[in-house]
Amino acid sequence: LGHLALQIARAMGFRVAALSSGPAKEELARGLGAHEYVDASAVDPGAALDALGGAGVIVATVEDSVATQRVVPGLAVDGTLLLLALEAAPISISPRK
């Protein structure tokens, strides 16, 4: 799902940041159209998205509530969090500071 979301967003003219854990997928992500790549195993993904100006939309395709929670701080004010995959665990979302 993430691969498709990346390509569709790029085709629609959005500036696209791909997130994954590890450097192995960077080349693929950029080949599919990502402008930016965030290695969530090396940096705080929410802070990285925030440093890029904040994400207008985050398409969460990972079944990991902790990973989803880590990207939420990178959501721009009035941004949209689209959850396409969930595990049976609570997600805690704090208000933006």
Side-chain angles (χ1 to χ4, degrees):
L1 292 174
H3 295 81
L4 290 173
L6 193 155
Q7 292 173 77
I8 291 167
R10 176 65 185 246
M12 292 177 69
F14 291 101
R15 182 149 184 86
V16 179
L19 287 81
S20 192
S21 10
K25 292 189 180 177
E26 181 172 4
E27 185 178 342
L28 173 61
R30 290 190 185 275
L32 293 172
H35 295 95
E36 305 290 340
Y37 181 81
V38 176
D39 177 356
S41 68
V43 299
D44 177 335
L49 289 174
D50 192 47
L52 291 170
V57 176
I58 294 176
V59 180
T61 61
V62 63
E63 293 181 17
D64 182 339
S65 62
V66 173
T68 300
Q69 287 176 176
R70 291 184 66 213
V71 298
V72 171
L75 195 60
V77 173
D78 292 329
T80 299
L81 175 62
L82 179 59
L83 302 170
L84 298 183
L86 291 173
E87 68 174 329
I91 295 176
S92 175
I93 299 176
S94 298
R96 187 167 173 89
K97 295 179 183 179

